[in-house]
Amino acid sequence: MAFGEKVYWDNRMAFVLAAIGSAIGLGNIWRFPYICYKYGGGAFLVAYIIALIIAGLPLLILEFSLGQKIGGSAPTSIGKVSKKFAWLGWMAIIVGFFITTYYAVIMSWAANYLVHSLSLAWGDDPRTFFYTNVLGLSDGIFKIGSPRIPLLIGLVVVWAWIILSIWKGAKTVSKVVYVTVTLPWLILLILVIGGLTLPGAFKGIAYYLTPNWSALLNPELWQAAFTQVFFSLSVGFGVMIAYASFLPPKSDIVNNAFIIGLSDAATAFVGGFAVFSALGYYAQIQGVSVAEVMKSGPELAFVTYPAIINHLPLGPLVGVLFFVMLLTLAIDSAFSLVEAVVAGVMETFGTNRTKTNIAVGILAFLIGIIYTTTAGLYWLDVVDYYMSYFALFAVAFLEAVLVGWLFDTEKLRRQINETSLVHIGRWWVISVRIIVPLAALVLLVLTIGGRIKSAYGGYPRTAELIAGWIPILFAIVLGVLLGKSTAKMLQKE
Ligand code: PFF
């Protein structure tokens, strides 16, 4: 096998930080607080913790054991479980690859806003600034227009940063994550402390956390909790499999998974304090309710937060801190997805690391250009939905069924326990065989059902086909083709 260039993490800490860095990303800071508020505040937290324990952590432990015990990137280790299924590993990383193509563009927005913060360039109307000046948003998904030059420049910078961060694989990542994990945490703490001292902050926090227990009876809440747990833990994209494959034999698995899962949840929870204290303050100075200033997604970071910054002492400094936080939160999620692809390609085809890094980076950059055009936000929205919901659930379902039912899970459990400080009981086997597949399948069916009824986000069906179904089909077909090469490589071993 092409393991001539195989490198390991510098130490256990480097692995833990890298995996935390992948898990903690844009999803923790906006998506979690917003969803938490939407589905009953404190009650959602309970559902989230339950989903984390019964499905998220078991799946994370499964991915770690695939990478570390069975050995290799997603295609290799899934191929070792069953050669016929090597394609599934490829599908996972191809889907992850599509995610990086737009994740990097959101980072380019943030990089642009980092510069805009210095002069508070958005002025009194951050909404118009974002949609018109920055994105130049057209009025339809097919009105594509030309790329926005500042976004394109930002994208080049972001890709250079990603490629340099994984230059020598786990060796380089081991160093980079000390900064990209601790720095955003430090900034987050500053923003939380600063936020809580603002007038009106506690109204925002009350809004975020007041529990509405009856919400626990709403199936949608459970759907949201499982979705958030899967996406946030970076499972289902081959990332955690590849990262665990850089662990030396005999490494701990269970304890690491608990540390990573809990750090991810804690970051999301604390992130909510930064977001909602600021929203509470903004609601107070505008004389409106918190609900009226509540926004999720791009609006929160690129419209609402800039509007709040306008009213803060040291506004430009807060802006710089906020966008540096976003960039450093996102970078290690972005490069983890790329590293999963690079590791997969190198193992199957024996390619050289530097060339593979650069080739994957350039390809992803070229695809990313579409999102820098004036219809970019629409395309990004559709691709994001299909990849991070649909494809993720499909992979999680197949992965758990494959290992749970075609593999000796009991033996794998014993192997995991041999090297882990905390031992896992039979509940893990039950979760992998029943709970994870069931949860993923229900989510998949609900997503498909919803999309049969109506196109996502009211976009035309053709756009949905181009940005949703075709990339998924492409990931499967290309996955099957590449899976054949992986199977051949494994045969020769
Ligand atoms: N977990 C990241 C977040 O919550 O933002 C996103 C992500 C990164 C998803 C890496 C998947 C992945 F493989």
Side-chain angles (χ1 to χ4, degrees):
M1 195 189 294
F3 276 158
E5 293 181 71
K6 174 101 189 171
V7 289
Y8 291 104
W9 298 110
D10 281 359
N11 48 48
R12 177 176 175 180
M13 184 71 170
F15 164 71
V16 170
L17 284 179
I20 290 179
S22 173
I24 301 175
L26 302 173
N28 297 59
I29 297 298
W30 315 300
R31 204 164 171 279
F32 178 86
Y34 167 75
I35 304 253
C36 188
Y37 148 72
K38 186 169 165 199
Y39 291 104
F44 179 81
L45 270 182
V46 174
Y48 182 84
I49 302 272
I50 292 174
L52 181 68
I53 292 171
I54 68 170
L57 287 174
L59 192 54
L60 189 62
I61 293 172
L62 173 69
E63 293 213 343
F64 282 168
S65 63
L66 274 175
Q68 201 250 329
K69 300 284 174 223
I70 302 187
S73 62
T76 314
S77 40
I78 295 183
K80 283 185 187 171
V81 171
S82 160
K83 287 199 190 61
K84 275 193 267 149
F85 280 89
W87 66 270
L88 179 61
W90 282 106
M91 178 183 171
I93 59 180
I94 295 166
V95 168
F97 172 81
F98 280 124
I99 294 191
T100 355
T101 62
Y102 66 79
Y103 216 84
V105 174
I106 301 177
M107 291 177 66
S108 165
W109 299 348
N112 273 270
Y113 268 77
L114 178 59
V115 177
H116 293 319
S117 295
L118 297 172
S119 58
L120 302 181
W122 45 79
D124 293 332
D125 189 359
R127 179 182 300 267
T128 307
F129 184 78
F130 178 57
Y131 290 111
T132 309
N133 302 38
V134 176
L135 301 182
L137 196 62
S138 67
D139 56 8
I141 191 163
F142 288 113
K143 300 211 172 119
I144 292 177
S146 52
R148 310 285 290 173
I149 300 302
L151 297 182
L152 207 54
I153 295 172
L155 194 58
V156 172
V157 173
V158 166
W159 271 108
W161 188 17
I162 292 176
I163 291 174
L164 288 177
S165 305
I166 55 167
W167 193 251
K168 290 203 165 122
K171 270 236 137 348
T172 319
V173 173
S174 287
K175 315 259 174 342
V176 170
V177 287
Y178 279 95
V179 179
T180 58
V181 176
T182 49
L183 184 63
W185 245 98
L186 215 71
I187 299 179
L188 184 63
L189 286 183
I190 296 174
L191 294 180
V192 169
I193 294 168
L196 289 177
T197 58
L198 294 169
F202 284 91
K203 250 192 249 157
I205 303 297
Y207 208 72
Y208 168 39
L209 290 179
T210 306
N212 168 14
W213 298 113
S214 62
L216 286 173
L217 298 174
N218 176 2
E220 257 183 47
L221 165 141
W222 291 94
Q223 187 186 351
F226 277 92
T227 307
Q228 177 66 17
V229 162
F230 283 175
F231 183 76
S232 192
L233 284 180
S234 300
V235 286
F237 301 97
V239 168
M240 293 308 192
I241 302 179
Y243 268 15
S245 78
F246 310 139
L247 278 169
K250 301 217 166 110
S251 301
D252 182 287
I253 290 197
V254 182
N255 212 18
N256 283 347
F258 284 160
I259 294 172
I260 292 154
L262 294 179
S263 310
D264 183 45
T267 309
F269 182 61
V270 175
F273 284 84
V275 169
F276 276 86
S277 59
L279 290 177
Y281 165 69
Y282 190 54
Q284 173 133 336
I285 53 176
Q286 298 285 311
V288 293
S289 73
V290 181
E292 282 170 78
V293 293
M294 242 318 294
K295 290 279 186 250
S296 75
E299 285 252 316
L300 178 64
F302 299 104
V303 176
T304 318
Y305 219 85
I308 296 170
I309 288 171
N310 280 345
H311 296 278
L312 293 177
L314 303 176
L317 178 67
V318 179
V320 168
L321 284 177
F322 180 74
F323 289 107
V324 167
M325 178 183 78
L326 282 192
L327 283 166
T328 47
L329 272 177
I331 183 77
D332 32 25
S333 299
F335 68 58
S336 71
L337 290 160
V338 183
E339 181 55 34
V341 179
V342 171
V345 173
M346 281 174 61
E347 283 175 13
T348 291
F349 298 102
T351 50
N352 159 282
R353 170 170 292 281
T354 314
K355 285 189 191 141
T356 316
N357 276 344
I358 295 175
V360 173
I362 290 180
L363 194 63
F365 164 75
L366 291 176
I367 296 177
I369 293 177
I370 184 80
Y371 314 113
T372 66
T373 64
T374 56
L377 181 63
Y378 304 129
W379 290 101
L380 191 158
D381 190 22
V382 181
V383 177
D384 173 48
Y385 176 82
Y386 274 85
M387 294 300 143
S388 57
Y389 285 74
F390 187 88
L392 164 62
F393 302 147
V395 172
F397 170 72
L398 290 171
E399 199 177 277
V401 168
L402 177 69
V403 180
W405 295 92
L406 296 185
F407 197 66
D408 188 348
T409 338
E410 197 43 59
K411 187 169 142 213
L412 190 58
R413 180 174 79 92
R414 281 197 302 273
Q415 282 179 343
I416 294 170
N417 282 343
E418 268 165 28
T419 58
S420 295
L421 188 68
V422 183
H423 287 189
I424 40 171
R426 281 195 54 81
W427 58 268
W428 179 73
V429 176
I430 296 171
S431 175
V432 169
R433 300 186 101 191
I434 298 165
I435 299 173
V436 174
L438 206 64
L441 189 65
V442 170
L443 294 170
L444 192 61
V445 169
L446 288 173
T447 308
I448 296 177
R451 294 301 54 86
I452 290 174
K453 262 195 239 137
S454 61
Y456 167 69
Y459 293 105
R461 285 284 191 193
T462 38
E464 200 181 34
L465 192 69
I466 297 169
W469 296 114
I470 291 179
I472 288 176
L473 197 68
F474 174 81
I476 297 173
V477 173
L478 186 63
V480 169
L481 292 176
L482 297 173
K484 290 206 171 101
S485 307
T486 304
K488 242 188 247 148
M489 177 272 294
L490 289 170
Q491 201 93 49
K492 276 194 225 137
E493 234 192 4

